[in-house]
């Protein structure tokens, strides 16, 4: 069965998944659909004004340490941008417009690296444009990303996430089965392999 | 370096750890200190009135499903008691009085099984007394658990947890390094082995 990867560009742990997912999925022969969505409306539906990193400072401090350890274990740099969480709306629209083309996947990885390896501001159109260019996407992708059909598609994905019980990122679905967190990727793979 | 296992009897994921920890630690030759504490004051310090399971229903529904999957994978039964979260104060006092005797560890496992495998009420002194008896503890342990030195010791452990940045259960510490969640037990073991 296909695995769906639900991610938001502001999400730290989604960065870990985005970087390791293509290789891990290929190793296991599991087909993955990348589903960019927005956490803002999902948090709002739970009465959260922002990321739990900020709502619960004790937990937030720990999560940064945990992120740092896990990024290091994967050979990834991790740097929390000065502005956190970042506004990933433009990046999510570009990803929506570009996927499922493999260049769209590379774009997502570029955005995560700009944000969490280099501490750049992904709300900046210049940063997003460079991530798109480096991924091999056309120059007009940013304009296309701001058209109504793309905006509407991203809203629909976010509504679908909510309706499928998704409350955080990264999440994985295999049919109706939901997994939450980069540390559940292996469980999700096992589920997909067993119920494929 | 020694690993400290911080747990609360109301905590679902602590059940998973309590049941698998002795074998896993023995396999790796890592010495473990069991530290029962109370989550109530820890949640209150974060502005949480109760467990996140109840504060965030979408997340709570998912966590139950995740617990069920992970318990099954470990060969454990999992049943959420009708009253949740349960009041684990008496059990935590008995554990405080009985540990570090190995019978104290068995008592903790018995309490978790009564609660999450059999759905019993661990606030009930009869349930706690049977868990103590089955663990080989003296009949007078319940009385001793209600004396001032034991009550004070449990309060001190809870204050120590808070001062060490612990915000949930299960948690593991290796010196100043903190790990949170049953799914970080292996990371904690690795840290203990590397910095031992």
């Amino acid at each position: 069965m296909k695995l769906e990867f639900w991610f938001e560009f502001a999400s730290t742990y989604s960065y870990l998944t985005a970087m390791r997912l293509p290789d891990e999925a290929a190793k296991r022969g599991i087909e993955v659909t990348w589903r960019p969505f927005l956490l803002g409306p999902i948090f709002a539906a739970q009465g959260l004004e922002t990321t739990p990193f900020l709502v619960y400072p004790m937990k937030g401090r720990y999560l940064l340490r945990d992120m740092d350890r896990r990024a290091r274990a994967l050979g990834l740099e991790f740097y929390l941008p000065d502005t956190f969480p970042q506004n990933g709306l433009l990046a999510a629209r570009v990803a929506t417009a570009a996927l499922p083309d493999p260049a769209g996947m590379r774009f997502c990885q570029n955005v995560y690296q700009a944000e969490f390896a280099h501490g750049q501001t992904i709300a900046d159109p210049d940063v997003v444009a460079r991530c798109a260019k480096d991924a091999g996407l056309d120059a007009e992708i940013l304009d296309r990303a701001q058209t109504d059909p793309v905006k509407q598609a991203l809203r629909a994905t976010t509504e679908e996430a909510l309706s499928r019980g998704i409350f955080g990122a990264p999440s994985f679905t295999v049919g109706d089965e939901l997994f939450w967190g980069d540390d559940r990727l292996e469980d999700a793979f096992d589920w997909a392999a067993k119920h494929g």
Side-chain angles (χ1 to χ4, degrees), chain A residues 146-180:
Chain A
Q146 301 282 35
T147 60
D148 281 341
V150 173
K151 291 179 181 178
Q152 183 46 38
L154 178 58
R155 268 196 294 271
T157 304
T158 300
E159 278 159 26
E160 183 185 339
L162 197 57
S163 76
R164 292 176 69 175
I166 289 172
F167 58 90
S171 288
F172 312 102
T173 51
V174 181
D176 285 343
E177 198 70 19
L178 173 64
F179 298 85
W180 169 60

PDB file of all heavy atoms in Angstrom, chain A residues 146-180:
ATOM      1  N   GLN A 146       1.090  31.009  -6.880  1.00  0.00           N
ATOM      2  CA  GLN A 146       0.197  32.018  -6.279  1.00  0.00           C
ATOM      3  C   GLN A 146      -1.133  32.128  -7.015  1.00  0.00           C
ATOM      4  O   GLN A 146      -1.888  33.088  -6.792  1.00  0.00           O
ATOM      5  CB  GLN A 146       0.904  33.390  -6.256  1.00  0.00           C
ATOM      6  CG  GLN A 146       2.213  33.396  -5.473  1.00  0.00           C
ATOM      7  CD  GLN A 146       1.989  33.439  -3.961  1.00  0.00           C
ATOM      8  OE1 GLN A 146       1.042  32.868  -3.437  1.00  0.00           O
ATOM      9  NE2 GLN A 146       2.886  34.109  -3.247  1.00  0.00           N
ATOM     10  N   THR A 147      -1.430  31.161  -7.871  1.00  0.00           N
ATOM     11  CA  THR A 147      -2.730  31.189  -8.573  1.00  0.00           C
ATOM     12  C   THR A 147      -3.794  30.486  -7.736  1.00  0.00           C
ATOM     13  O   THR A 147      -3.480  29.677  -6.846  1.00  0.00           O
ATOM     14  CB  THR A 147      -2.634  30.491  -9.950  1.00  0.00           C
ATOM     15  OG1 THR A 147      -2.235  29.131  -9.753  1.00  0.00           O
ATOM     16  CG2 THR A 147      -1.593  31.180 -10.847  1.00  0.00           C
ATOM     17  N   ASP A 148      -5.066  30.810  -8.061  1.00  0.00           N
ATOM     18  CA  ASP A 148      -6.169  30.269  -7.253  1.00  0.00           C
ATOM     19  C   ASP A 148      -6.222  28.743  -7.201  1.00  0.00           C
ATOM     20  O   ASP A 148      -6.475  28.184  -6.131  1.00  0.00           O
ATOM     21  CB  ASP A 148      -7.508  30.842  -7.750  1.00  0.00           C
ATOM     22  CG  ASP A 148      -7.720  32.254  -7.215  1.00  0.00           C
ATOM     23  OD1 ASP A 148      -7.041  32.609  -6.226  1.00  0.00           O
ATOM     24  OD2 ASP A 148      -8.533  32.988  -7.777  1.00  0.00           O
ATOM     25  N   PRO A 149      -6.009  28.047  -8.325  1.00  0.00           N
ATOM     26  CA  PRO A 149      -6.119  26.575  -8.231  1.00  0.00           C
ATOM     27  C   PRO A 149      -5.092  25.986  -7.255  1.00  0.00           C
ATOM     28  O   PRO A 149      -5.408  25.035  -6.538  1.00  0.00           O
ATOM     29  CB  PRO A 149      -5.833  26.115  -9.671  1.00  0.00           C
ATOM     30  CG  PRO A 149      -6.134  27.299 -10.532  1.00  0.00           C
ATOM     31  CD  PRO A 149      -5.797  28.506  -9.706  1.00  0.00           C
ATOM     32  N   VAL A 150      -3.888  26.562  -7.208  1.00  0.00           N
ATOM     33  CA  VAL A 150      -2.866  26.044  -6.295  1.00  0.00           C
ATOM     34  C   VAL A 150      -3.220  26.394  -4.848  1.00  0.00           C
ATOM     35  O   VAL A 150      -3.146  25.541  -3.945  1.00  0.00           O
ATOM     36  CB  VAL A 150      -1.470  26.576  -6.674  1.00  0.00           C
ATOM     37  CG1 VAL A 150      -0.436  26.172  -5.632  1.00  0.00           C
ATOM     38  CG2 VAL A 150      -1.067  26.055  -8.055  1.00  0.00           C
ATOM     39  N   LYS A 151      -3.625  27.638  -4.612  1.00  0.00           N
ATOM     40  CA  LYS A 151      -4.048  28.037  -3.264  1.00  0.00           C
ATOM     41  C   LYS A 151      -5.170  27.117  -2.775  1.00  0.00           C
ATOM     42  O   LYS A 151      -5.170  26.663  -1.628  1.00  0.00           O
ATOM     43  CB  LYS A 151      -4.550  29.483  -3.266  1.00  0.00           C
ATOM     44  CG  LYS A 151      -3.460  30.530  -3.491  1.00  0.00           C
ATOM     45  CD  LYS A 151      -4.063  31.938  -3.508  1.00  0.00           C
ATOM     46  CE  LYS A 151      -2.984  32.997  -3.748  1.00  0.00           C
ATOM     47  NZ  LYS A 151      -3.546  34.358  -3.809  1.00  0.00           N
ATOM     48  N   GLN A 152      -6.117  26.852  -3.657  1.00  0.00           N
ATOM     49  CA  GLN A 152      -7.265  26.021  -3.299  1.00  0.00           C
ATOM     50  C   GLN A 152      -6.825  24.580  -3.037  1.00  0.00           C
ATOM     51  O   GLN A 152      -7.321  23.923  -2.110  1.00  0.00           O
ATOM     52  CB  GLN A 152      -8.318  26.086  -4.413  1.00  0.00           C
ATOM     53  CG  GLN A 152      -9.593  25.310  -4.124  1.00  0.00           C
ATOM     54  CD  GLN A 152     -10.121  25.570  -2.711  1.00  0.00           C
ATOM     55  OE1 GLN A 152     -10.064  26.678  -2.183  1.00  0.00           O
ATOM     56  NE2 GLN A 152     -10.599  24.499  -2.052  1.00  0.00           N
ATOM     57  N   ALA A 153      -5.871  24.095  -3.817  1.00  0.00           N
ATOM     58  CA  ALA A 153      -5.399  22.717  -3.627  1.00  0.00           C
ATOM     59  C   ALA A 153      -4.725  22.565  -2.265  1.00  0.00           C
ATOM     60  O   ALA A 153      -4.907  21.553  -1.571  1.00  0.00           O
ATOM     61  CB  ALA A 153      -4.428  22.332  -4.757  1.00  0.00           C
ATOM     62  N   LEU A 154      -3.948  23.576  -1.847  1.00  0.00           N
ATOM     63  CA  LEU A 154      -3.280  23.517  -0.542  1.00  0.00           C
ATOM     64  C   LEU A 154      -4.306  23.572   0.590  1.00  0.00           C
ATOM     65  O   LEU A 154      -4.195  22.836   1.587  1.00  0.00           O
ATOM     66  CB  LEU A 154      -2.263  24.658  -0.417  1.00  0.00           C
ATOM     67  CG  LEU A 154      -1.527  24.759   0.920  1.00  0.00           C
ATOM     68  CD1 LEU A 154      -0.769  23.479   1.246  1.00  0.00           C
ATOM     69  CD2 LEU A 154      -0.568  25.960   0.923  1.00  0.00           C
ATOM     70  N   ARG A 155      -5.327  24.429   0.423  1.00  0.00           N
ATOM     71  CA  ARG A 155      -6.383  24.470   1.437  1.00  0.00           C
ATOM     72  C   ARG A 155      -7.082  23.108   1.536  1.00  0.00           C
ATOM     73  O   ARG A 155      -7.377  22.627   2.628  1.00  0.00           O
ATOM     74  CB  ARG A 155      -7.420  25.545   1.079  1.00  0.00           C
ATOM     75  CG  ARG A 155      -7.121  26.917   1.693  1.00  0.00           C
ATOM     76  CD  ARG A 155      -8.346  27.840   1.650  1.00  0.00           C
ATOM     77  NE  ARG A 155      -8.725  28.188   0.275  1.00  0.00           N
ATOM     78  CZ  ARG A 155      -8.238  29.234  -0.398  1.00  0.00           C
ATOM     79  NH1 ARG A 155      -7.368  30.056   0.175  1.00  0.00           N
ATOM     80  NH2 ARG A 155      -8.629  29.488  -1.624  1.00  0.00           N
ATOM     81  N   ALA A 156      -7.316  22.488   0.393  1.00  0.00           N
ATOM     82  CA  ALA A 156      -8.018  21.195   0.379  1.00  0.00           C
ATOM     83  C   ALA A 156      -7.159  20.116   1.066  1.00  0.00           C
ATOM     84  O   ALA A 156      -7.685  19.259   1.787  1.00  0.00           O
ATOM     85  CB  ALA A 156      -8.344  20.782  -1.061  1.00  0.00           C
ATOM     86  N   THR A 157      -5.853  20.168   0.826  1.00  0.00           N
ATOM     87  CA  THR A 157      -4.968  19.180   1.479  1.00  0.00           C
ATOM     88  C   THR A 157      -4.999  19.356   2.993  1.00  0.00           C
ATOM     89  O   THR A 157      -5.037  18.382   3.750  1.00  0.00           O
ATOM     90  CB  THR A 157      -3.522  19.328   0.960  1.00  0.00           C
ATOM     91  OG1 THR A 157      -3.512  19.217  -0.466  1.00  0.00           O
ATOM     92  CG2 THR A 157      -2.633  18.242   1.542  1.00  0.00           C
ATOM     93  N   THR A 158      -4.984  20.611   3.433  1.00  0.00           N
ATOM     94  CA  THR A 158      -5.012  20.881   4.874  1.00  0.00           C
ATOM     95  C   THR A 158      -6.327  20.400   5.489  1.00  0.00           C
ATOM     96  O   THR A 158      -6.342  19.802   6.572  1.00  0.00           O
ATOM     97  CB  THR A 158      -4.790  22.387   5.118  1.00  0.00           C
ATOM     98  OG1 THR A 158      -3.516  22.760   4.578  1.00  0.00           O
ATOM     99  CG2 THR A 158      -4.816  22.719   6.606  1.00  0.00           C
ATOM    100  N   GLU A 159      -7.431  20.651   4.769  1.00  0.00           N
ATOM    101  CA  GLU A 159      -8.735  20.164   5.271  1.00  0.00           C
ATOM    102  C   GLU A 159      -8.778  18.635   5.299  1.00  0.00           C
ATOM    103  O   GLU A 159      -9.323  18.035   6.229  1.00  0.00           O
ATOM    104  CB  GLU A 159      -9.873  20.699   4.389  1.00  0.00           C
ATOM    105  CG  GLU A 159     -10.268  22.126   4.765  1.00  0.00           C
ATOM    106  CD  GLU A 159     -10.987  22.859   3.640  1.00  0.00           C
ATOM    107  OE1 GLU A 159     -11.620  22.198   2.779  1.00  0.00           O
ATOM    108  OE2 GLU A 159     -10.902  24.110   3.612  1.00  0.00           O
ATOM    109  N   GLU A 160      -8.162  18.019   4.289  1.00  0.00           N
ATOM    110  CA  GLU A 160      -8.130  16.558   4.270  1.00  0.00           C
ATOM    111  C   GLU A 160      -7.313  16.030   5.457  1.00  0.00           C
ATOM    112  O   GLU A 160      -7.699  15.053   6.115  1.00  0.00           O
ATOM    113  CB  GLU A 160      -7.528  16.053   2.949  1.00  0.00           C
ATOM    114  CG  GLU A 160      -7.552  14.526   2.847  1.00  0.00           C
ATOM    115  CD  GLU A 160      -6.842  13.989   1.601  1.00  0.00           C
ATOM    116  OE1 GLU A 160      -6.676  14.752   0.620  1.00  0.00           O
ATOM    117  OE2 GLU A 160      -6.437  12.804   1.635  1.00  0.00           O
ATOM    118  N   ALA A 161      -6.186  16.704   5.750  1.00  0.00           N
ATOM    119  CA  ALA A 161      -5.352  16.296   6.890  1.00  0.00           C
ATOM    120  C   ALA A 161      -6.186  16.318   8.167  1.00  0.00           C
ATOM    121  O   ALA A 161      -6.194  15.346   8.941  1.00  0.00           O
ATOM    122  CB  ALA A 161      -4.145  17.223   7.018  1.00  0.00           C
ATOM    123  N   LEU A 162      -6.899  17.409   8.378  1.00  0.00           N
ATOM    124  CA  LEU A 162      -7.719  17.547   9.586  1.00  0.00           C
ATOM    125  C   LEU A 162      -8.769  16.442   9.646  1.00  0.00           C
ATOM    126  O   LEU A 162      -8.979  15.814  10.692  1.00  0.00           O
ATOM    127  CB  LEU A 162      -8.375  18.933   9.581  1.00  0.00           C
ATOM    128  CG  LEU A 162      -8.957  19.460  10.893  1.00  0.00           C
ATOM    129  CD1 LEU A 162      -7.919  19.493  12.001  1.00  0.00           C
ATOM    130  CD2 LEU A 162      -9.531  20.862  10.685  1.00  0.00           C
ATOM    131  N   SER A 163      -9.398  16.181   8.516  1.00  0.00           N
ATOM    132  CA  SER A 163     -10.480  15.190   8.493  1.00  0.00           C
ATOM    133  C   SER A 163      -9.940  13.781   8.689  1.00  0.00           C
ATOM    134  O   SER A 163     -10.675  12.872   9.072  1.00  0.00           O
ATOM    135  CB  SER A 163     -11.263  15.275   7.175  1.00  0.00           C
ATOM    136  OG  SER A 163     -10.518  14.685   6.128  1.00  0.00           O
ATOM    137  N   ARG A 164      -8.637  13.588   8.439  1.00  0.00           N
ATOM    138  CA  ARG A 164      -8.058  12.260   8.627  1.00  0.00           C
ATOM    139  C   ARG A 164      -7.377  12.126   9.984  1.00  0.00           C
ATOM    140  O   ARG A 164      -6.646  11.168  10.244  1.00  0.00           O
ATOM    141  CB  ARG A 164      -7.102  11.951   7.476  1.00  0.00           C
ATOM    142  CG  ARG A 164      -7.890  11.786   6.164  1.00  0.00           C
ATOM    143  CD  ARG A 164      -7.014  11.573   4.966  1.00  0.00           C
ATOM    144  NE  ARG A 164      -6.352  10.280   4.986  1.00  0.00           N
ATOM    145  CZ  ARG A 164      -5.593   9.819   3.994  1.00  0.00           C
ATOM    146  NH1 ARG A 164      -5.427  10.565   2.908  1.00  0.00           N
ATOM    147  NH2 ARG A 164      -5.017   8.649   4.072  1.00  0.00           N
ATOM    148  N   GLY A 165      -7.596  13.105  10.866  1.00  0.00           N
ATOM    149  CA  GLY A 165      -7.112  12.987  12.244  1.00  0.00           C
ATOM    150  C   GLY A 165      -5.681  13.447  12.452  1.00  0.00           C
ATOM    151  O   GLY A 165      -5.092  13.210  13.506  1.00  0.00           O
ATOM    152  N   ILE A 166      -5.112  14.109  11.452  1.00  0.00           N
ATOM    153  CA  ILE A 166      -3.727  14.575  11.572  1.00  0.00           C
ATOM    154  C   ILE A 166      -3.682  15.820  12.454  1.00  0.00           C
ATOM    155  O   ILE A 166      -4.442  16.758  12.251  1.00  0.00           O
ATOM    156  CB  ILE A 166      -3.140  14.834  10.168  1.00  0.00           C
ATOM    157  CG1 ILE A 166      -2.922  13.486   9.467  1.00  0.00           C
ATOM    158  CG2 ILE A 166      -1.851  15.646  10.246  1.00  0.00           C
ATOM    159  CD1 ILE A 166      -2.538  13.587   8.001  1.00  0.00           C
ATOM    160  N   PHE A 167      -2.811  15.810  13.452  1.00  0.00           N
ATOM    161  CA  PHE A 167      -2.737  16.905  14.435  1.00  0.00           C
ATOM    162  C   PHE A 167      -1.334  17.498  14.537  1.00  0.00           C
ATOM    163  O   PHE A 167      -1.102  18.422  15.320  1.00  0.00           O
ATOM    164  CB  PHE A 167      -3.179  16.392  15.811  1.00  0.00           C
ATOM    165  CG  PHE A 167      -2.349  15.231  16.275  1.00  0.00           C
ATOM    166  CD1 PHE A 167      -1.200  15.441  17.024  1.00  0.00           C
ATOM    167  CD2 PHE A 167      -2.687  13.938  15.923  1.00  0.00           C
ATOM    168  CE1 PHE A 167      -0.404  14.379  17.419  1.00  0.00           C
ATOM    169  CE2 PHE A 167      -1.896  12.865  16.320  1.00  0.00           C
ATOM    170  CZ  PHE A 167      -0.756  13.087  17.069  1.00  0.00           C
ATOM    171  N   GLY A 168      -0.368  16.953  13.800  1.00  0.00           N
ATOM    172  CA  GLY A 168       1.006  17.439  13.865  1.00  0.00           C
ATOM    173  C   GLY A 168       1.785  16.942  12.666  1.00  0.00           C
ATOM    174  O   GLY A 168       1.258  16.212  11.828  1.00  0.00           O
ATOM    175  N   ALA A 169       3.059  17.335  12.597  1.00  0.00           N
ATOM    176  CA  ALA A 169       3.887  16.955  11.453  1.00  0.00           C
ATOM    177  C   ALA A 169       5.288  16.597  11.926  1.00  0.00           C
ATOM    178  O   ALA A 169       5.767  17.178  12.913  1.00  0.00           O
ATOM    179  CB  ALA A 169       3.958  18.093  10.448  1.00  0.00           C
ATOM    180  N   PRO A 170       5.934  15.646  11.254  1.00  0.00           N
ATOM    181  CA  PRO A 170       5.418  14.897  10.122  1.00  0.00           C
ATOM    182  C   PRO A 170       4.403  13.849  10.555  1.00  0.00           C
ATOM    183  O   PRO A 170       4.435  13.367  11.676  1.00  0.00           O
ATOM    184  CB  PRO A 170       6.667  14.212   9.557  1.00  0.00           C
ATOM    185  CG  PRO A 170       7.528  13.992  10.758  1.00  0.00           C
ATOM    186  CD  PRO A 170       7.310  15.222  11.595  1.00  0.00           C
ATOM    187  N   SER A 171       3.495  13.519   9.635  1.00  0.00           N
ATOM    188  CA  SER A 171       2.599  12.385   9.848  1.00  0.00           C
ATOM    189  C   SER A 171       2.666  11.496   8.616  1.00  0.00           C
ATOM    190  O   SER A 171       3.092  11.942   7.532  1.00  0.00           O
ATOM    191  CB  SER A 171       1.163  12.864  10.068  1.00  0.00           C
ATOM    192  OG  SER A 171       1.031  13.482  11.334  1.00  0.00           O
ATOM    193  N   PHE A 172       2.279  10.253   8.812  1.00  0.00           N
ATOM    194  CA  PHE A 172       2.253   9.293   7.714  1.00  0.00           C
ATOM    195  C   PHE A 172       0.916   8.592   7.754  1.00  0.00           C
ATOM    196  O   PHE A 172       0.412   8.264   8.835  1.00  0.00           O
ATOM    197  CB  PHE A 172       3.368   8.248   7.867  1.00  0.00           C
ATOM    198  CG  PHE A 172       4.707   8.871   8.160  1.00  0.00           C
ATOM    199  CD1 PHE A 172       5.221   8.872   9.441  1.00  0.00           C
ATOM    200  CD2 PHE A 172       5.426   9.501   7.155  1.00  0.00           C
ATOM    201  CE1 PHE A 172       6.432   9.485   9.739  1.00  0.00           C
ATOM    202  CE2 PHE A 172       6.641  10.119   7.439  1.00  0.00           C
ATOM    203  CZ  PHE A 172       7.143  10.109   8.733  1.00  0.00           C
ATOM    204  N   THR A 173       0.329   8.376   6.581  1.00  0.00           N
ATOM    205  CA  THR A 173      -0.880   7.554   6.525  1.00  0.00           C
ATOM    206  C   THR A 173      -0.656   6.427   5.534  1.00  0.00           C
ATOM    207  O   THR A 173       0.013   6.588   4.512  1.00  0.00           O
ATOM    208  CB  THR A 173      -2.123   8.375   6.098  1.00  0.00           C
ATOM    209  OG1 THR A 173      -1.817   9.108   4.909  1.00  0.00           O
ATOM    210  CG2 THR A 173      -2.555   9.349   7.182  1.00  0.00           C
ATOM    211  N   VAL A 174      -1.208   5.286   5.891  1.00  0.00           N
ATOM    212  CA  VAL A 174      -1.256   4.122   5.003  1.00  0.00           C
ATOM    213  C   VAL A 174      -2.720   3.702   5.041  1.00  0.00           C
ATOM    214  O   VAL A 174      -3.168   3.115   6.031  1.00  0.00           O
ATOM    215  CB  VAL A 174      -0.352   2.986   5.511  1.00  0.00           C
ATOM    216  CG1 VAL A 174      -0.406   1.809   4.536  1.00  0.00           C
ATOM    217  CG2 VAL A 174       1.084   3.467   5.705  1.00  0.00           C
ATOM    218  N   GLY A 175      -3.475   4.083   4.009  1.00  0.00           N
ATOM    219  CA  GLY A 175      -4.926   3.919   4.101  1.00  0.00           C
ATOM    220  C   GLY A 175      -5.417   4.749   5.284  1.00  0.00           C
ATOM    221  O   GLY A 175      -5.053   5.913   5.430  1.00  0.00           O
ATOM    222  N   ASP A 176      -6.198   4.126   6.173  1.00  0.00           N
ATOM    223  CA  ASP A 176      -6.737   4.846   7.336  1.00  0.00           C
ATOM    224  C   ASP A 176      -5.780   4.869   8.519  1.00  0.00           C
ATOM    225  O   ASP A 176      -6.088   5.477   9.547  1.00  0.00           O
ATOM    226  CB  ASP A 176      -8.048   4.182   7.809  1.00  0.00           C
ATOM    227  CG  ASP A 176      -9.205   4.506   6.878  1.00  0.00           C
ATOM    228  OD1 ASP A 176      -9.076   5.474   6.095  1.00  0.00           O
ATOM    229  OD2 ASP A 176     -10.217   3.782   6.924  1.00  0.00           O
ATOM    230  N   GLU A 177      -4.644   4.187   8.420  1.00  0.00           N
ATOM    231  CA  GLU A 177      -3.755   4.068   9.573  1.00  0.00           C
ATOM    232  C   GLU A 177      -2.845   5.292   9.642  1.00  0.00           C
ATOM    233  O   GLU A 177      -2.177   5.642   8.664  1.00  0.00           O
ATOM    234  CB  GLU A 177      -2.930   2.773   9.458  1.00  0.00           C
ATOM    235  CG  GLU A 177      -2.310   2.314  10.745  1.00  0.00           C
ATOM    236  CD  GLU A 177      -3.328   1.784  11.755  1.00  0.00           C
ATOM    237  OE1 GLU A 177      -4.461   1.437  11.363  1.00  0.00           O
ATOM    238  OE2 GLU A 177      -2.979   1.733  12.943  1.00  0.00           O
ATOM    239  N   LEU A 178      -2.794   5.914  10.824  1.00  0.00           N
ATOM    240  CA  LEU A 178      -2.039   7.160  11.016  1.00  0.00           C
ATOM    241  C   LEU A 178      -0.826   6.933  11.907  1.00  0.00           C
ATOM    242  O   LEU A 178      -0.913   6.232  12.924  1.00  0.00           O
ATOM    243  CB  LEU A 178      -2.967   8.207  11.656  1.00  0.00           C
ATOM    244  CG  LEU A 178      -2.336   9.532  12.104  1.00  0.00           C
ATOM    245  CD1 LEU A 178      -1.775  10.313  10.918  1.00  0.00           C
ATOM    246  CD2 LEU A 178      -3.379  10.377  12.851  1.00  0.00           C
ATOM    247  N   PHE A 179       0.284   7.519  11.504  1.00  0.00           N
ATOM    248  CA  PHE A 179       1.510   7.502  12.304  1.00  0.00           C
ATOM    249  C   PHE A 179       1.991   8.939  12.425  1.00  0.00           C
ATOM    250  O   PHE A 179       1.928   9.697  11.466  1.00  0.00           O
ATOM    251  CB  PHE A 179       2.587   6.643  11.628  1.00  0.00           C
ATOM    252  CG  PHE A 179       2.185   5.205  11.471  1.00  0.00           C
ATOM    253  CD1 PHE A 179       1.441   4.804  10.375  1.00  0.00           C
ATOM    254  CD2 PHE A 179       2.530   4.264  12.427  1.00  0.00           C
ATOM    255  CE1 PHE A 179       1.049   3.484  10.230  1.00  0.00           C
ATOM    256  CE2 PHE A 179       2.145   2.946  12.300  1.00  0.00           C
ATOM    257  CZ  PHE A 179       1.400   2.554  11.186  1.00  0.00           C
ATOM    258  N   TRP A 180       2.479   9.298  13.573  1.00  0.00           N
ATOM    259  CA  TRP A 180       2.911  10.683  13.817  1.00  0.00           C
ATOM    260  C   TRP A 180       4.344  10.712  14.310  1.00  0.00           C
ATOM    261  O   TRP A 180       4.702   9.985  15.237  1.00  0.00           O
ATOM    262  CB  TRP A 180       2.008  11.338  14.863  1.00  0.00           C
ATOM    263  CG  TRP A 180       2.492  12.656  15.374  1.00  0.00           C
ATOM    264  CD1 TRP A 180       2.713  13.788  14.641  1.00  0.00           C
ATOM    265  CD2 TRP A 180       2.830  12.990  16.728  1.00  0.00           C
ATOM    266  NE1 TRP A 180       3.158  14.799  15.469  1.00  0.00           N
ATOM    267  CE2 TRP A 180       3.233  14.335  16.754  1.00  0.00           C
ATOM    268  CE3 TRP A 180       2.806  12.266  17.925  1.00  0.00           C
ATOM    269  CZ2 TRP A 180       3.636  14.978  17.929  1.00  0.00           C
ATOM    270  CZ3 TRP A 180       3.197  12.901  19.089  1.00  0.00           C
ATOM    271  CH2 TRP A 180       3.611  14.250  19.080  1.00  0.00           C
TER     272      TRP A 180
END
